[in-house]
Amino acid sequence: NVVKDTSGNGYDATINNGEVKVVDGQSFLVLNGNGVLETPLETIGYPYTVSFDIAANGNNANATLFEGYDGKLLAQGSDGTITIQRSFYTQSSGYQLSTVMKHIDIVGTAQNTKIYVDGQLVKMFANVNEAGNPDDYWTTFVLPLEKIAHKFNGLIGNINVYNKAFSYDAIGKDANTVENVNVALNANVYTNRLNHNNPSLNSGEVKRHPAWK
């Protein structure tokens, strides 16, 4: 089975061991843990936004939402929540999928990676130091697209990938209505370097006064 790329770019995907069903008037890919949606794409670098509707029906640690050479976004990591996995690093979102249908947006920039559920920010991924405390810089994650919903058990649909980072106000809107997304507007300036010239500025998780560029 083939899933058409409606962007017009011709990146049609192939369904293996899955089927398309209409639920509440919308088409969803239904998978039972043995299937996958494969695309001719490899990875989209930041900035990007990916959105999709999803309902899970019990998954193991091998189930992924997005998977490829550059990493995986696990549907259910070791703690049962959506988890980033790349190279030797894993980071949990703390958000657990359920049988209730949810709309999810993932926004990746050169500064951070955010997960929204039904329009609400549930996680901005941050590095953690050996003591288990957040470090001074946020985590980036390029989005692998070779395999979607690999070994996933549940429903997924309305998958959209944009090569722009949607702001909070733009989450849930059609990309054609978002002309300019300024990810720096009203955002903190930060660095992972301490300001040794003025230590008093080194307070909090975000360094608002970078020591150098």
Side-chain angles (χ1 to χ4, degrees):
N1 294 331
V2 174
V3 175
K4 288 292 183 180
D5 173 15
T6 59
S7 72
N9 292 318
Y11 298 128
D12 297 341
T14 303
I15 301 172
N16 290 315
N17 294 326
E19 59 180 332
V20 176
K21 289 186 176 181
V22 177
V23 179
D24 295 331
Q26 299 187 66
S27 296
F28 285 89
L29 176 60
V30 181
L31 298 159
N32 63 3
N34 297 311
V36 64
L37 180 66
E38 295 183 296
T39 84
L41 300 169
E42 295 181 355
T43 299
I44 183 169
Y46 32 75
Y48 67 81
T49 300
V50 58
S51 65
F52 52 95
D53 295 323
I54 191 167
N57 190 25
N59 285 278
N60 58 39
N62 294 320
T64 64
L65 300 178
F66 298 93
E67 178 181 341
Y69 175 81
D70 290 305
K72 298 178 180 179
L73 186 67
L74 302 176
Q76 183 173 309
S78 59
D79 65 347
T81 72
I82 295 176
T83 299
I84 285 177
Q85 182 181 83
R86 69 265 194 262
S87 188
F88 300 104
Y89 302 95
T90 60
Q91 290 175 287
S92 301
S93 70
Y95 179 79
Q96 186 170 12
L97 295 171
S98 70
T99 56
V100 179
M101 186 68 65
K102 295 291 184 179
H103 179 78
I104 293 182
D105 295 273
I106 301 173
V107 180
T109 70
Q111 291 76 36
N112 54 51
T113 306
K114 299 177 181 179
I115 295 182
Y116 297 84
V117 178
D118 288 342
Q120 299 299 312
L121 178 65
V122 298
K123 180 67 176 181
M124 180 161 67
F125 282 100
N127 280 293
V128 176
N129 59 31
E130 292 181 358
N133 299 315
D135 273 344
D136 298 322
Y137 53 98
W138 303 113
T139 297
T140 56
F141 179 64
V142 293
L143 187 70
L145 293 171
E146 296 175 43
K147 297 179 180 180
I148 298 175
H150 187 210
K151 299 181 180 179
F152 179 74
N153 187 10
L155 290 77
I156 187 170
N158 298 319
I159 304 169
N160 294 283
V161 180
Y162 309 103
N163 60 350
K164 60 177 71 176
F166 282 19
S167 66
Y168 176 79
D169 291 336
I171 291 296
K173 296 182 180 179
D174 188 280
N176 295 324
T177 68
V178 183
E179 297 181 359
N180 295 295
V181 179
N182 188 350
V183 296
L185 182 63
N186 298 322
N188 290 324
V189 176
Y190 68 91
T191 177
N192 63 335
R193 296 284 182 173
L194 297 178
N195 192 320
H196 297 287
N197 295 326
N198 193 343
S200 65
L201 298 177
N202 298 324
S203 59
E205 295 180 5
V206 177
K207 307 309 178 200
R208 300 173 187 273
H209 303 271
W212 58 281
K213 289 186 177 181

